[in-house]
Amino acid sequence: MSSINPLNKTVDVGKPLPITPRKDRILYLWAKRTLDISLSLIGLIFLCPVFLAVALLIKLEDPKGAVFFSQIRVGCGGKLFKMYKFRSMVSGAELMLGNLIQQSDVTGAMFKMKNDPRVTRVGRFIRKTSMDELPQLVNVLKGNMSLVGPRPPLPREVSDYTSYDMQRLLVVPGCTGLWQVSGRNHVGFQEMVELDLKYINEQSIWMDMIIICKTVKVLFGADNAY
């Protein structure tokens, strides 16, 4: 079992199964980073009114609560980083997780609960439209996330990964990916891993653009987000 070391901010990824090498990987990574910076900057500028509106709604429902929520996630190569979101749960929600962990609606090393009692009224709306994830554009600018890639897992989830599952950590995690456009919360953990490995082996700028376009409809009320 892999373990998280909070001192050096890394995770032992063991000996993952080989990923098919890409001859054009350096060019692709350069183009991908350029796309990430360009689109995240454009998004942050044009979505400023949305950021302000969501922040206001969160404060109106819970004046004493924080607008933003940060959480430690595991990124490329096992490096830990802070991922940002709009707060969609009651204050102290993480302390309540222990009583709910067995009620997960998805299988495997991740937790998702459709009727999570910790989610606020505003939280249900911004989760359904995925607006709670818009602050991750800051993570994209910082370089610890990409627009497209495997979703960054929690350290407790990684502790249950097999060496096969660890391959998800071979690339920079993303705000969206094949998992999100292929069923999202209706897809189990192992299916998510297979979709992530398929993306890692076949990734290209064209594929990234297709996934981004398919993700846009989530912002207009996809019914499988929670």
Side-chain angles (χ1 to χ4, degrees):
M1 181 178 291
S2 302
S3 58
I4 299 293
N5 184 338
L7 297 179
N8 59 22
K9 305 292 186 181
T10 61
V11 60
D12 178 10
V13 296
K15 296 182 179 180
L17 301 182
I19 290 292
T20 304
R22 293 177 54 89
K23 295 180 180 179
D24 60 342
R25 183 159 182 80
I26 294 178
L27 178 61
Y28 165 69
L29 291 177
W30 177 85
K32 184 178 179 69
R33 183 60 184 151
T34 300
L35 183 68
D36 282 345
I37 293 174
S38 301
L39 293 186
S40 58
L41 272 176
I42 293 172
L44 286 170
I45 292 171
F46 282 93
L47 291 171
C48 275
V50 177
F51 272 70
L52 291 174
V54 173
L56 179 60
L57 289 172
I58 292 173
K59 275 298 183 181
L60 285 175
E61 183 172 9
D62 183 6
K64 295 183 179 180
V67 169
F68 298 102
F69 170 74
S70 65
Q71 189 176 50
I72 298 297
R73 297 287 180 124
V74 182
C76 182
K79 293 182 179 178
L80 303 183
F81 70 95
K82 280 187 178 181
M83 187 182 78
Y84 307 110
K85 302 179 74 173
F86 280 119
R87 183 173 63 85
S88 62
M89 293 186 174
V90 297
S91 299
E94 295 213 307
L95 298 177
M96 302 165 61
L97 180 61
N99 296 324
L100 301 170
I101 198 73
Q102 299 301 323
Q103 300 179 48
S104 179
D105 292 319
V106 293
T107 59
M110 63 178 176
F111 175 81
K112 284 284 184 179
M113 187 176 178
K114 187 172 184 177
N115 297 311
D116 195 324
R118 301 172 299 165
V119 179
T120 63
R121 287 176 297 175
V122 172
R124 282 194 289 271
F125 171 72
I126 62 177
R127 281 180 164 224
K128 183 178 178 62
T129 57
S130 290
M131 286 193 290
D132 64 317
E133 298 183 358
L134 290 179
Q136 288 165 34
L137 291 174
V138 175
N139 286 115
V140 175
L141 274 182
K142 293 175 68 175
N144 43 40
M145 286 183 70
S146 175
L147 290 173
V148 181
R151 286 296 293 164
L154 292 162
R156 62 174 172 77
E157 295 172 339
V158 174
S159 67
D160 291 330
Y161 276 16
T162 65
S163 59
Y164 186 82
D165 301 334
M166 286 291 182
Q167 293 180 104
R168 298 185 70 248
L169 306 181
L170 292 177
V171 298
V172 176
C175 300
T176 187
L178 279 181
W179 173 56
Q180 285 86 339
V181 299
S182 301
R184 200 174 182 176
N185 297 311
H186 300 303
V187 175
F189 174 72
Q190 288 305 322
E191 293 171 283
M192 182 186 73
V193 171
E194 294 304 323
L195 288 169
D196 287 338
L197 299 189
K198 175 180 173 64
Y199 170 74
I200 292 172
N201 274 314
E202 301 177 8
Q203 59 187 324
S204 67
I205 290 298
W206 177 245
M207 188 178 193
D208 285 358
M209 291 302 297
I210 290 175
I211 292 174
I212 290 172
C213 289
K214 286 185 176 181
T215 303
V216 171
K217 71 177 183 180
V218 173
L219 298 177
F220 294 92
D223 63 2
N224 62 349
Y226 55 84

